[in-house]
Amino acid sequence: EIVLTQSPGTLSLSPGERATLSCRASQSVSSSYLAWYQQKPGQAPRLLIYGESSRATGIPDRFSGSGSGTDFTLTISRLEPEDFAVYYCQQYGNSLFTFGPGTKVDI
Amino acid sequence: QVHLVQSGAEVKKPGASVKVSCKTSGYTFTHYYIHWVRQAPGQGLEWMGWINSNSGGTNYAQNFQGRVTMTRDTSISTAYMDLSRLTSDDTAVYYCATYTSSWYFWEFWGQGTLVTVSS
């Protein structure tokens, strides 16, 4: 099973600042099978980025993804108030889907 | 538009089973798999498995094999997740999810069903 590790666990920032979230895999992951989700309290996850760097429908361009192999990054260029949430990376490999433990972005 | 509507919250005793439904609309049900994901209170997301909505074929995560059964009723575009031999560790919100773009990433999610296991 491919294990995903996310850092930091919590990121404390202010609106307007840049957020950089890391996702590291225990073995190489195809970037085609790597995604990022946002989750707010009491809500279902929302797909943000898939295939490493493609934005899902309706996702603003301040969200971007990058990386390859075992290291992937989600960047939020300028935080808006609605961006404060928990972010999960997800991968598919060896017939399994796994999620990282999440990074909480708070004020 | 695509909608996934799940059944309501459940309270179960240890050792019991629970069946969660996921009624879909807005797309052709048999064209896309349904995935199930759960989230324990204050914890992260855990993939449970998928069901091929067309054939009924399934693939379950190892953690749930022997305890989970995923089924579907194509006549009412609804998927089901049945989890047996419940323990307190199964207390969680259970989500169904699907996609129209790629099987690997899920744009559409149900609202979640809270299952509480308590004696």
Side-chain angles (χ1 to χ4, degrees):
Chain A
E1 175 180 324
I2 297 175
V3 177
L4 299 178
T5 304
Q6 292 186 243
S7 61
T10 301
L11 197 52
S12 296
L13 295 168
S14 299
E17 290 193 298
R18 181 184 187 91
T20 302
L21 287 66
S22 172
C23 176
R24 180 162 290 177
S26 59
Q27 57 186 278
S28 186
V29 170
S30 169
S31 58
S32 298
Y33 303 152
L34 194 286
W36 291 89
Y37 294 83
Q38 176 194 66
Q39 188 179 34
K40 297 179 181 179
Q43 296 184 17
R46 175 193 183 195
L47 179 64
L48 292 177
I49 302 286
Y50 63 93
E52 181 217 333
S53 61
S54 299
R55 279 186 296 277
T57 302
I59 302 303
D61 60 8
R62 64 180 180 273
F63 291 92
S64 63
S66 64
S68 64
T70 59
D71 290 296
F72 298 88
T73 300
L74 173 70
T75 302
I76 311 171
S77 59
R78 288 178 56 86
L79 281 164
E80 297 287 342
E82 62 267 27
D83 299 337
F84 291 91
V86 180
Y87 293 84
Y88 295 94
C89 55
Q90 175 219 348
Q91 70 83 38
Y92 174 78
N94 301 332
S95 301
L96 297 174
F97 290 91
T98 56
F99 290 90
T103 291
K104 182 178 182 181
V105 178
D106 67 11
I107 300 175
Chain B
Q1 50 281 58
V2 176
H3 287 296
L4 283 68
V5 179
Q6 298 183 223
S7 48
E10 303 261 14
V11 179
K12 295 292 182 180
K13 294 198 181 302
S17 297
V18 69
K19 190 169 187 174
V20 178
S21 67
C22 174
K23 182 166 178 57
T24 73
S25 61
Y27 72 103
T28 303
F29 177 72
T30 52
H31 285 187
Y32 304 100
Y33 290 33
I34 296 285
H35 296 265
W36 290 89
V37 175
R38 78 174 185 181
Q39 185 170 38
Q43 302 301 308
L45 301 167
E46 182 179 22
W47 175 73
M48 300 179 69
W50 52 250
I51 180 166
N52 179 329
S53 306
N54 185 39
S55 69
T58 55
N59 182 33
Y60 304 139
Q62 184 136 13
N63 284 353
F64 300 98
Q65 285 189 10
R67 285 207 303 141
V68 70
T69 304
M70 296 176 188
T71 57
R72 92 281 187 234
D73 184 339
T74 58
S75 68
I76 56 172
S77 301
T78 299
Y80 302 92
M81 187 284 299
D82 197 314
L83 189 62
S84 64
R85 304 195 301 277
L86 294 169
T87 73
S88 57
D89 289 343
D90 294 314
T91 294
V93 176
Y94 290 77
Y95 294 102
C96 57
T98 194
Y99 58 94
T100 54
S101 298
S102 170
W103 181 77
Y104 304 99
F105 320 114
W106 315 319
E107 313 112 282
F108 306 106
W109 292 67
Q111 83 277 17
T113 296
L114 175 62
V115 175
T116 303
V117 182
S118 173
S119 55

